[in-house]
Amino acid sequence: MSIFIWKQSYCGPAGETLALSLNSPNESIPKRSRGAFRAQFILLDDDLIGQNPVRDQRAHGIANQAGFQFFWQSSCHEALLLRHLDGCATLRPATTPLAEAALRHRWPEYTKGMSAADLAKRIDAAGVRRAAAVEPELATFLQAIDFQL
């Protein structure tokens, strides 16, 4: 099973970033030499959705044409991580700074850019299920990788 997730640390305006990445000669999205990916996801923060509806529609069109599904993090990665923690599944900080503060309050050791191994020291399968219960796109992704919800 092959799943591809594309995430950039700063994606800027989604439509422009996707167009450049999917259509440039030096694509940042790898080509498969051994068949198609089973699923492809683009992981983006949703803090820019709605600011430019034309751009939003363009981003969706580009992603759909390339066979990607969006996985929107509301409002940012730290907010999504927060919802994995016990007692925090329903928390929805409105801004990135509020999400970062809430996460660091409950997880003082957290640092931006932690490795998957370091994240796994705090977030277990129960935490993943907790977040998936309130994040439909996370649940869709987990189903694509056959994670038992």
Side-chain angles (χ1 to χ4, degrees):
M1 165 179 43
S2 295
I3 304 289
F4 178 72
I5 302 173
W6 179 59
K7 182 181 188 310
Q8 289 183 292
S9 57
Y10 174 73
C11 288
E16 287 82 353
T17 301
L18 291 174
L20 289 172
S21 295
L22 295 172
N23 297 320
S24 71
N26 299 317
E27 294 178 9
S28 60
I29 298 174
K31 295 285 185 204
R32 291 279 295 176
S33 59
R34 294 176 295 168
F37 288 106
R38 180 171 161 189
Q40 299 180 112
F41 292 85
I42 297 173
L43 182 63
L44 294 169
D45 297 348
D46 74 356
D47 57 349
L48 296 177
I49 294 176
Q51 292 179 5
N52 184 333
V54 173
R55 180 193 65 211
D56 296 349
Q57 187 173 5
R58 182 170 179 243
H60 279 278
I62 292 167
N64 288 338
Q65 186 176 29
F68 283 85
Q69 299 176 60
F70 279 113
F71 180 151
W72 293 103
Q73 299 179 115
S74 179
S75 59
C76 63
H77 189 62
E78 286 74 18
L80 179 63
L81 290 176
L82 178 66
R83 288 188 280 283
H84 288 75
L85 304 181
D86 193 29
C88 299
T90 60
L91 297 181
R92 299 253 171 213
T95 66
T96 297
L98 290 173
E100 289 173 347
L103 182 61
R104 286 200 175 97
H105 175 74
R106 289 163 179 84
W107 187 1
E109 302 81 19
Y110 171 77
T111 58
K112 208 166 189 58
M114 284 179 97
S115 69
D118 287 336
L119 291 171
K121 291 175 185 174
R122 177 71 191 263
I123 298 174
D124 59 8
V128 173
R129 288 183 186 97
R130 189 170 25 255
V134 296
E135 293 291 333
E137 291 170 342
L138 176 59
T140 297
F141 168 73
L142 293 171
Q143 289 169 350
I145 63 170
D146 295 329
F147 184 89
Q148 295 300 312
L149 296 174

